[in-house]
Amino acid sequence: MPQNQPDGLITLTSEELLNFALETLLKHVRLHINGKKCTLENVFELILKASAGQTSINDVCDDTPGAASGTAVLNQLHQTLPQKLGQLWRLEAKLNDALVANLTPRMRRVRCELAADLVLIPYHGQPAKDEKEIRRGQAREGTTHFHCYATLYMIYKDQLMTLCMTFVRKNDTMPDILRRLFRRLDVLNLNVKKLYLDKGFYSIAVIRLLKERGTPFILPAIARKNGGVSKLFVGRASYKTSYTLRNKKLGSEVVDLALTRKYSKGRYRRRKHSKRSKWFAYVTYRVRTHPLRIFQFYRRRFGIESSYRQMNRVRVRTSSTNPALRLLYVGVAFLLINLWVRLKQQYACDLHRKGRRVNPRRLTLLRMMHLIIRAVEQRLKPLQNLRVPASQVASVSLRGGAG
């Protein structure tokens, strides 16, 4: 742990930062790896360096002469990780334990706001063993095939942390996904104040599931151009009303609808003939407040979108088709984001007349990744020179200087 210095400052070293991440992984994500060069601790060090550098395990191993080869590390991981799609829950359980390892007792006690959503990572190629590994979606980055993950995100003051994640299969429905996330939430025994959902969850089955659990939620309603919810966009002011959803298989369901008319200084007048205001519709349950407040509450959900962008910035790159290996890399990325959030709260705050305030420039995500890379390189010495046979070097002289 960081110690107080004689000058009154607390020093957080790169070695201590690496130990925080390593201790969490070694304690909760126990994998059966035991070799001379390829120990579990060394494998996690290589994974952390690859995550911090947004590169692959092979690149990191090639840059570290003293480490095991990339092929040896990947073979060990392929052997110890779950081999079948139905066994991924074991790895998920370990990663989810690691994600909540740094929650404070107060964060476990208070009523918290949660957000749930899906993240799609583009995938080019065929499934490894089972067609259910791949989920189809809207075309992005030259493909419509994705590895999909669902996450539950905690919003507590200015600390935004991922609580749990699960691998989403091709035939998983939205209620199935939520049930898996809720089973993990029940283990944590957290008190939910509000749950924010994406419009992709807008269905009678999801609404009934949340009502059965008694979970307060805000869910945006899908408004078509003609008919449905859009017929209720009348009047000058925001208001609440009841609305009946109908489905041939599931029947009908009466829901509370909050209709918000929002003016925002020309933000909604991007097109030539667009209006000065825009209507938003939200399905709510056990949320008693004005529609404008509901609009403001729901904006807090967009923190989960930021967590996905940050996760992609610290995720190991791979061309492997193994869904378990990809799940491990995504879980480590979310763990690094959670660790960054906690360390900012502890070591990157300035005193303010209204309390502690996070200084965002003191410990940026990029700076933390650079510190982790330096700590790993102190343990596993990086490549310092390139040795090539003289017969294979082209006879071209290199000149220094510009111009």
Side-chain angles (χ1 to χ4, degrees):
M1 293 295 294
Q3 301 293 327
N4 288 327
Q5 302 298 323
D7 55 3
L9 300 177
I10 295 179
T11 302
L12 176 65
T13 65
S14 59
E15 184 71 17
E16 291 165 341
L17 190 58
L18 176 62
N19 286 335
F20 283 146
L22 272 180
E23 289 171 3
T24 304
L25 286 171
L26 292 172
K27 181 179 180 181
H28 298 284
V29 189
R30 297 178 181 177
L31 304 176
H32 298 287
I33 296 177
N34 189 14
K36 293 182 179 179
K37 285 187 177 181
C38 197
T39 64
L40 181 57
E41 183 175 353
N42 288 341
V43 169
F44 280 144
E45 288 173 348
L46 295 172
I47 290 176
L48 289 173
K49 183 178 178 182
S51 296
Q54 301 182 54
T55 185
S56 66
I57 293 295
N58 281 318
D59 286 343
V60 171
C61 291
D62 291 343
D63 192 49
T64 311
S69 66
T71 302
V73 173
L74 292 175
N75 286 340
Q76 289 280 355
L77 287 173
H78 285 303
Q79 291 174 9
T80 189
L81 292 173
Q83 301 298 317
K84 297 181 180 179
L85 194 61
Q87 299 174 346
L88 281 185
W89 63 270
R90 299 175 181 175
L91 180 59
E92 286 180 6
K94 296 177 181 179
L95 292 172
N96 288 333
D97 287 339
L99 289 176
V100 297
N102 293 308
L103 287 184
T104 63
R106 179 172 178 79
M107 294 173 72
R108 295 175 182 268
R109 261 192 336 263
V110 299
R111 297 181 65 202
C112 57
E113 296 175 298
L114 302 178
D117 204 353
L118 307 181
V119 56
L120 301 173
I121 297 180
Y123 177 78
H124 301 79
Q126 299 298 320
K129 295 181 179 180
D130 195 333
E131 292 183 355
K132 296 179 182 179
E133 299 169 6
I134 308 301
R135 195 173 176 95
R136 299 294 295 273
Q138 187 177 359
R140 196 178 76 199
E141 297 184 20
T143 183
T144 58
H145 296 73
F146 301 90
H147 276 129
C148 182
Y149 308 89
T151 62
L152 201 60
Y153 188 76
M154 182 181 188
I155 306 169
Y156 174 70
K157 296 184 178 179
D158 55 350
Q159 301 179 57
L160 313 175
M161 304 181 71
T162 301
L163 293 178
C164 59
M165 59 177 291
T166 183
F167 183 83
V168 179
R169 295 155 183 81
K170 179 180 179 180
N171 56 351
D172 284 342
T173 62
M174 291 301 183
D176 294 336
I177 297 168
L178 285 178
R179 286 190 186 96
R180 290 210 299 271
L181 293 176
F182 286 151
R183 280 198 293 269
R184 177 59 186 172
L185 186 62
D186 293 338
V187 172
L188 297 176
N189 196 25
L190 294 178
N191 191 2
V192 182
K193 184 177 181 180
K194 281 187 288 289
L195 174 65
Y196 306 116
L197 298 167
D198 184 70
K199 63 182 179 180
F201 291 91
Y202 180 64
S203 67
I204 292 178
V206 169
I207 292 172
R208 285 178 178 172
L209 171 64
L210 295 173
K211 285 185 175 181
E212 288 174 3
R213 289 182 55 89
T215 303
F217 67 87
I218 300 176
L219 170 64
I222 297 178
R224 311 295 180 185
K225 289 185 177 180
N226 298 316
V229 176
S230 60
K231 286 187 176 181
L232 302 176
F233 295 160
V234 295
R236 296 185 176 181
S238 304
Y239 67 98
K240 286 185 174 183
T241 186
S242 59
Y243 183 73
T244 303
L245 293 171
R246 291 183 174 85
N247 184 280
K248 291 182 179 180
K249 294 183 179 180
L250 301 177
S252 60
E253 182 73 20
V254 179
V255 298
D256 295 328
L257 206 62
L259 299 161
T260 304
R261 190 177 188 185
K262 188 67 178 173
Y263 297 85
S264 190
K265 298 181 180 179
R267 180 181 300 174
Y268 308 123
R269 298 189 66 187
R270 296 176 182 176
R271 296 182 181 178
K272 184 176 180 180
H273 301 291
S274 62
K275 299 179 181 179
R276 297 182 179 180
S277 62
K278 186 175 181 179
W279 283 95
F280 297 88
Y282 300 98
V283 178
T284 64
Y285 178 67
R286 295 177 59 187
V287 180
R288 299 178 181 178
T289 186
H290 192 273
L292 288 174
R293 291 282 294 167
I294 291 175
F295 175 84
Q296 295 296 334
F297 284 147
Y298 188 75
R299 286 176 59 86
R300 296 167 64 84
R301 190 201 71 86
F302 296 111
I304 196 170
E305 306 289 350
S306 299
S307 73
Y308 293 155
R309 290 193 295 271
Q310 292 165 347
M311 179 272 293
N312 283 316
R313 291 178 58 190
V314 295
R315 177 173 55 84
V316 180
R317 299 305 189 255
T318 181
S319 59
S320 173
T321 61
N322 188 347
L325 183 64
R326 287 173 170 264
L327 177 64
L328 174 64
Y329 292 162
V330 172
V332 171
F334 279 123
L335 173 63
L336 287 174
I337 298 300
N338 282 2
L339 181 63
W340 174 58
V341 172
R342 289 294 300 127
L343 291 175
K344 279 199 307 179
Q345 191 66 27
Q346 287 184 274
Y347 303 106
C349 285
D350 293 332
L351 292 179
H352 192 261
R353 61 183 180 182
K354 293 185 179 180
R356 291 162 55 88
R357 177 177 293 180
V358 174
N359 184 346
R361 299 189 62 181
R362 183 171 297 170
L363 183 63
T364 63
L365 182 60
L366 181 62
R367 180 172 296 173
M368 176 175 158
M369 294 304 104
H370 286 169
L371 290 172
I372 288 178
I373 291 174
R374 291 164 192 160
V376 174
E377 289 180 347
Q378 287 177 359
R379 297 186 180 187
L380 306 174
K381 300 302 181 182
L383 187 68
Q384 298 292 341
N385 49 56
L386 186 64
R387 299 176 66 88
V388 183
S391 60
Q392 298 180 12
V393 179
S395 58
V396 177
S397 60
L398 300 179
R399 298 179 180 179

